[in-house]
Amino acid sequence: MELQELTIISGTVLSLIYQNDESGYTVLRLLQDSLEEITAVGCMPFLCKGEIVRLFGIWTTHISYGDQFSVVQFERCIPADEEGILSYLSGGAVKGIGPKTAERIVRRFGTESLYIISTDPEKLTEVKGITLQKAILIKQEYNRRASLSVLTDFIVTNALPVQLAFRLYRQYGEFAFEELKKNPYLICSDFLGGDFSSADRIAESFGINGDDFVRVDAGILFELFYNLQNGHAFIPREKLIQASCSLLSVEHEAVEIGLDRLSCTGQIIIEEICLENAVYLSGMFATESAVARKIRELSGIHMNDSRVAKEAVTKVEKKTGIQYAKEQKEALNACAHNSVTVLTGGPGTGKTTAVRGMLELFDLLHLETSLCAPTGLAAKRLSELCGRDASTVHRLLEANFSQEENKMTFQKNEKNQLNAKAVIIDESSMLDITLAAALLNAIKPGTKLVFVGDADQLPSVGPGNFLRDLIASNLVPTIKLTKIFRQASTSDIILNAHRINRGESPDLEKNNGDFFFVSRRTPEALMNTVRELCLKRIPESFGYKRDTIQVICASRIGDSGTNALNQALQEVLNPPSAQKQELIFGSIIFREGDRVIQVKNDYNLIWRRDDTGEVGTGIFNGDIGKVVKIDQKIQMATVLFDDKTVDFPFSELGKLELSYAVTAHKAQGSEFDAVVLCLMRVPRRLMMRSILYTAVTRAKKLLVIIGERETVEFMVKSDQKAKRYSALRARLSED
């Protein structure tokens, strides 16, 4: 909406009802110039009582709280008269100045008060109670707040996330705005995480030319950062040049010169490897190299000779009363003898039994063992299956988010390593190269590492191809379990999953047991069937509760993707009710009782366990929860993630989506009692066997595939893996 279409009101901030310093979301009472009091809500960071503002927005009516002014944009107005300056200083805007001191300052300096504070603080000593030291501190605080206000106003005015202002200020202090004017492309750096088009727009307003070296270098770095999100550790030089030329609309030569410039300053590394002229961000090059080096170091350490290992396995069999299959014995022998072992295999092949055996083995060898997985749901499932405590990798490493560096840091690292003598990591296909590096840094030499996972599932969301590269390098012992055990062989889900993985069509005709196929030819028919299955047929015929049924799609978009299905399922599974509060955020209606999923890692979100009182931070991409309360008065939504309760300011709800339906990527690492898999009009780029296989293996007890037989057949035959540029395999294989 254009500013000229918005209502404009002006006034003085009377009080702050609520203010979130991280998001800038504010609820305040405003005394308008007309002397009428109103409530205003929106992103208005760092406002204080007494400030004079112009607000651009629209009037809304809340069912409980009446009329409110919803702010789209705002401007601060520096008070010019004595009354305004006194109101501003009395409101606590400047630390060190209270109401009485403010009155003395204004009485002494009048309309010059703010100028004196900012430029000539020595004169403040003429005011009773202000020493020279205090005057200097007042100046510093006023200038700090003024520079931050200028910065945040600029960020908000240009429709950028307010968090950018905080990060810029932490990095550059009161000179942040000057630094931004010199180089607007700071916005799209890895540190700030903004988008290139916004930076381009601001740069143009500052008069920076399209072929300026600042813009060219920023464009190259942006392409590398962007492709990290697509899983690439590096980009081949020629592909990077082509992509950068397209982004920047500049000549080939300009990008070539930019690459040389960035290489000379150490921001990128260019290396010939894997028959490619690879271009890395320097940090990613260091990470990949460090992972290879650490794996090579650890893999050369053997803890027990083969005879001792075999004897230990025999003792474990005797203790547990389990006669392990040949491949499982090989896995136990390998992890007893070696420091690094990989255990892989599809569903029903006995991975869990083998992991339990490893735990018994490590107990027998008097090795303190830690169990972990990349996600909270995967860790919870691992704990339930093994009867031992398991944590996320982040929790094991005592992760913290550094506001100063805008990145995750780990208390457990190369200087403060884990005490565990053995570490088992489940769902290792989800482990990206960055998290793998953090884990390996915290491992002491001689610690046993066991990576467990299904290498045929989708790779990690983050950069690299860790598990596949580790297996393909042939550097560490890899045991692949292939035998389907008797108890699993009765499951059509498991049998069909293995058929899919071998490139064979699943049996879509049988339609009994735990695997069903329902043919639907139109999105409308598919939608109606999905609603009927989740609302009545599955609960009534199979006894599964509605909240244990998960709909999975290959794609978010389209009339049979998660976006459309979430809206349709919300209508029947959690319809509007006078007893349920709800709110609209963007295109999504959030309602009490809704199932939601976190779609961005947020290391700052504070959670609490209401039963124990434990408090911690961090909710991660893929965590599924339920909206338990929406409080319109304090503008807060409360979400329960398993046993963790989190309060979301309304302004932070962009990190949540409805999760009645999720993509196969989002479902990875989780299992559900019943899965409804929708396969219709899947985008061509997503019609891959690995997506189908991952989705099918999310179902524990019941799977219903709805859609087009042709889509299933095409995905089975499509064995191409999403191309990822990673050189870890080559580095592990180096002599």
Side-chain angles (χ1 to χ4, degrees), residues 44 66 152 157 169 200 215-216 323 435 475 496 518 545 554 581 587 599 619 631 663 680 684 718-719:
M44 297 174 282
T152 52
T157 300
Y169 191 83
D200 239 0
R215 181 173 184 265
V216 172
Q323 184 66 40
L435 190 55
L475 178 66
N496 281 317
V518 180
K545 295 180 180 178
Q581 289 287 328
S587 60
V599 294
I619 298 295
D631 192 319
T663 63
M680 178 179 289
R684 190 80 169 204
S718 179
D719 192 29

Side-chain angles (χ1 to χ4, degrees), residues 94-97 105 113-124 130-147 169 174:
V94 182
K95 196 178 295 184
I97 299 179
I105 291 173
S113 296
L114 297 181
Y115 177 80
I116 295 295
I117 290 172
S118 176
T119 62
D120 199 2
E122 291 83 0
K123 286 188 177 180
L124 291 177
I130 299 182
T131 64
L132 180 59
Q133 182 180 11
K134 184 175 181 180
I136 292 172
L137 290 174
I138 288 173
K139 173 194 173 181
Q140 291 173 344
E141 175 62 20
Y142 176 80
N143 287 343
R144 182 194 73 81
R145 186 167 189 86
S147 62
Y169 191 83
E174 61 186 81

Side-chain angles (χ1 to χ4, degrees), residues 277-306:
N277 201 4
V279 184
Y280 286 86
L281 289 165
S282 56
M284 183 51 56
F285 177 83
T287 296
E288 188 179 81
S289 301
V291 167
R293 184 170 57 252
K294 191 64 183 278
I295 289 286
R296 287 167 66 86
E297 289 173 0
L298 291 172
S299 65
I301 302 172
H302 298 293
M303 301 296 292
N304 299 286
D305 61 34
S306 299

Side-chain angles (χ1 to χ4, degrees), residues 534-536 539 544-550 572-573 595:
C534 293
L535 184 64
K536 292 184 177 179
Y544 298 120
K545 295 180 180 178
R546 292 173 183 169
D547 59 4
T548 66
I549 304 168
Q550 182 63 59
V572 295
L573 296 178
R595 288 169 60 182

Side-chain angles (χ1 to χ4, degrees), residues 8 30-31 70-71 106 124 136 223 228 291 308 341 380 387 400 419 484 571 594 640:
I8 305 173
L30 185 80
L31 178 63
S70 181
V71 177
V106 175
L124 291 177
I136 292 172
E223 284 292 343
L228 287 181
V291 167
V308 172
T341 308
K380 181 184 178 185
N400 287 304
N419 291 323
I484 301 176
E571 290 174 1
D594 275 336
L640 182 64

Side-chain angles (χ1 to χ4, degrees), residues 133-171:
Q133 182 180 11
K134 184 175 181 180
I136 292 172
L137 290 174
I138 288 173
K139 173 194 173 181
Q140 291 173 344
E141 175 62 20
Y142 176 80
N143 287 343
R144 182 194 73 81
R145 186 167 189 86
S147 62
L148 187 52
S149 295
V150 169
L151 180 63
T152 52
D153 290 354
F154 179 82
I155 292 293
V156 171
T157 300
N158 282 277
L160 296 171
V162 71
Q163 288 85 351
L164 294 182
F166 302 123
R167 295 170 191 164
L168 274 165
Y169 191 83
R170 290 190 193 103
Q171 183 76 0

Side-chain angles (χ1 to χ4, degrees), residues 597-662:
I597 185 169
Q598 181 83 3
V599 294
K600 294 180 181 178
N601 288 338
D602 191 323
Y603 308 106
N604 296 314
L605 275 176
I606 298 172
W607 53 259
R608 62 185 182 276
R609 288 192 171 96
D610 293 332
D611 55 343
T612 65
E614 181 184 359
V615 175
T617 58
I619 298 295
F620 301 103
N621 187 358
D623 287 351
I624 292 177
K626 180 179 181 180
V627 179
V628 293
K629 185 178 181 181
I630 293 175
D631 192 319
Q632 301 282 3
K633 186 174 183 180
I634 63 172
Q635 304 277 297
M636 198 78 73
T638 301
V639 179
L640 182 64
F641 293 94
D642 195 14
D643 60 347
K644 297 176 182 177
T645 300
V646 179
D647 293 324
F648 285 82
F650 284 180
S651 59
E652 297 293 287
L653 291 177
K655 296 169 184 173
L656 293 176
E657 292 178 359
L658 297 176
S659 67
Y660 299 101
V662 299

Side-chain angles (χ1 to χ4, degrees), residues 555 681-688 691 714-715 718 720:
S555 175
R681 299 187 182 179
V682 176
R684 190 80 169 204
R685 61 186 174 81
L686 297 176
M687 293 181 72
M688 296 188 296
I691 289 180
F714 188 94
M715 293 179 79
S718 179
Q720 83 270 21

